[in-house]
């Protein structure tokens, strides 16, 4: 193993992975911009803030690898010293995680109306973000990465809390959406897609946060943890953007079903009362499948409400 495999090499891998994910989220930002969703201003502001954070972090991470591998190519001792851009990247990751988790918790509240659950999750998410920011600022007092072991307790709470919130949100969403399934193919298709989105939004951030935590705790005197740390912010952005952009596909599924239903009713007028019963049972409301919020084309066909028993 080379002398710089776990320092500059790890930074290079982290920057490369982050750049790949930044390309994906940039495409999602563009897709969101061109799809013309009628979202409220605060949702558009959330997307814009995440884009600024993602772009800033990507630039800072390029500077870090440039500083160590190019600017100080003949001065390898600089690799063992913290650089000012490193803590800024960590602060950006903590902010991205809190913004995305807050957004998902707000959607969870609309879905379940469980005030106590959402209060616990938002408090834990805020505590994790605050700990991440404080931990990152403390790095400015270090003169060597060997001192990073002093940050292990704070890092354990920060990343463990993030994993807890991510898993809790995904679990509650999956459980609630699964209860919303009906015997109709279209409704189940939409709900299944929302379940898949909920799982992805909690799984990937948790994997990278756990990877960051494990490598930092086991090898605190190396930079191996940045392989997971650098792209973590993009993972959170992708979790939110994928959920938002996916509404277009759900809208298309709903529209296709509506077109088929209208065609059948026009051909067989006597079937109108049967269709009315099916439409009533296929109703899925905006407090149930939160991923579909804000899409004008779906509002005509999908209305969200808590699961109710149907009386024949």
């Amino acid at each position: 193993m080379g002398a710089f495999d776990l320092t500059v090499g790890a930074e290079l891998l982290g920057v490369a992975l982050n750049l790949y994910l930044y390309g994906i989220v940039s495409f999602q930002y563009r897709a969101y911009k061109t799809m013309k969703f009628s979202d409220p201003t605060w949702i558009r502001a959330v997307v814009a803030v995440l884009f600024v954070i993602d772009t800033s972090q990507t630039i800072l991470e390029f500077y870090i690898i440039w500083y160590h591998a190019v600017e100080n190519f003949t001065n390898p001792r600089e690799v063992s010293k913290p650089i000012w851009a490193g803590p800024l990247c960590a602060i950006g990751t903590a902010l991205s995680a809190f913004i995305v988790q807050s957004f998902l918790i707000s959607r969870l509240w609309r879905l379940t109306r469980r005030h106590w659950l959402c209060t616990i999750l938002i408090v834990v998410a805020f505590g994790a973000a605050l700990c991440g920011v404080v931990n990152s600022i403390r790095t400015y007092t270090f003169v060597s990465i060997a001192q990073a072991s002093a940050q292990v307790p704070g890092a354990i709470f920060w990343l463990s809390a993030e994993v807890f919130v991510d898993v809790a949100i995904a679990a509650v969403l999956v459980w609630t959406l699964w209860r919303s399934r009906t015997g109709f193919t279209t409704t189940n298709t939409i709900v299944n897609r929302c379940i898949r989105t909920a799982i992805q939004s909690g799984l990937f951030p948790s994997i990278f946060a756990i990877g960051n935590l494990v490598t930092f705790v086991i090898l605190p005197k190396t930079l191996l943890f940045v392989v997971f740390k650098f792209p973590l912010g993009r993972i959170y952005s992708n979790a939110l953007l994928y959920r938002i952009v996916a509404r277009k596909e759900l809208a298309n599924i709903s529209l296709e079903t509506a077109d088929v239903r209208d065609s059948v009713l026009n051909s067989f007028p006597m079937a109108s009362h049967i269709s009315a019963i099916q439409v009533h049972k296929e109703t899925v409301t905006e407090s149930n499948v939160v991923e579909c919020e804000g899409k004008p084309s779906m509002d005509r066909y999908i209305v969200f409400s808590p699961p109710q028993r149907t009386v024949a």
Side-chain angles (χ1 to χ4, degrees):
M1 180 177 292
F4 301 101
D5 288 1
L6 297 181
T7 52
V8 178
E11 287 181 340
L12 181 61
L13 289 176
V15 169
L17 182 55
N18 175 76
L19 183 60
Y20 171 75
L21 292 172
Y22 180 72
I24 294 177
V25 296
S26 295
F27 173 80
Q28 291 174 320
Y29 284 125
R30 177 62 180 172
Y32 177 76
K33 183 68 174 179
T34 57
M35 285 182 182
K36 305 298 182 182
F37 289 114
S38 58
D39 289 333
T41 303
W42 73 269
I43 292 183
R44 295 181 178 275
V46 166
V47 174
V49 169
L50 286 177
F51 176 73
V52 171
I53 294 176
D54 287 340
T55 303
S56 301
Q57 277 191 286
T58 300
I59 295 173
L60 289 173
E61 289 165 9
F62 264 111
Y63 174 75
I64 291 173
I65 191 64
W66 177 273
Y67 179 83
H68 285 155
V70 179
E71 188 173 336
N72 287 281
F73 179 77
T74 59
N75 187 17
R77 292 184 179 180
E78 286 296 320
V79 175
S80 64
K81 299 179 181 179
I83 180 175
W84 63 267
L88 286 180
C89 289
I91 292 173
T93 299
L95 294 178
S96 293
F98 179 67
I99 290 172
V100 173
Q101 288 173 341
S102 299
F103 179 88
L104 296 181
I105 291 171
S106 71
R107 304 301 89 187
L108 184 64
W109 177 80
R110 296 193 59 162
L111 172 64
T112 64
R113 300 295 178 178
R114 297 181 183 274
H115 302 281
W116 63 270
L117 174 62
C118 295
T119 300
I120 292 174
L121 292 179
I122 197 66
V123 169
V124 175
F126 178 78
L130 181 61
C131 183
V133 171
V134 172
N135 239 30
S136 301
I137 294 175
R138 285 185 59 197
T139 306
Y140 285 112
T141 64
F142 297 164
V143 297
S144 171
I145 62 174
Q147 296 177 282
S149 57
Q151 290 185 304
V152 169
I156 291 176
F157 174 79
W158 171 19
L159 297 171
S160 298
E162 284 188 355
V163 171
F164 169 77
V165 174
D166 293 334
V167 173
I169 292 174
V172 175
L173 281 175
V174 169
W175 177 74
T176 307
L177 291 171
W178 183 264
R179 294 178 59 212
S180 301
R181 289 165 56 88
T182 68
F184 295 99
T185 303
T186 303
T187 302
N188 288 346
T189 299
I190 295 175
V191 172
N192 288 340
R193 176 61 184 272
C194 293
I195 289 175
R196 187 179 72 182
T197 303
I199 293 174
Q200 290 175 342
S201 66
L203 177 63
F204 293 111
S206 297
I207 290 175
F208 274 76
I210 292 173
N212 188 359
L213 177 61
V214 170
T215 52
F216 184 74
V217 171
I218 295 177
L219 300 169
K221 296 182 180 180
T222 71
L223 295 177
L224 187 60
F225 65 92
V226 302
V227 175
F228 302 96
K229 176 183 176 181
F230 278 0
L232 183 56
R234 260 52 62 211
I235 295 291
Y236 275 107
S237 297
N238 177 72
L240 184 143
L241 290 168
Y242 178 79
R243 181 183 298 258
I244 291 178
V245 175
R247 294 176 298 176
K248 183 65 174 179
E249 181 178 339
L250 297 177
N252 291 337
I253 294 174
S254 178
L255 287 172
E256 289 173 4
T257 303
D259 291 341
V260 172
R261 182 172 65 241
D262 291 344
S263 176
V264 171
L265 290 178
N266 290 335
S267 301
F268 303 97
M270 293 297 294
S272 59
H273 66 289
I274 299 176
S275 175
I277 296 175
Q278 175 172 339
V279 171
H280 177 71
K281 281 202 68 178
E282 283 208 31
T283 296
V284 186
T285 84
E286 189 166 294
S287 42
N288 250 351
V289 186
V290 293
E291 290 83 356
C292 303
E293 179 188 343
K295 61 295 155 212
S297 56
M298 287 195 69
D299 290 339
R300 176 182 172 190
Y301 304 107
I302 299 181
V303 188
F304 287 130
S305 69
Q308 299 179 351
R309 294 183 179 179
T310 303
V311 180

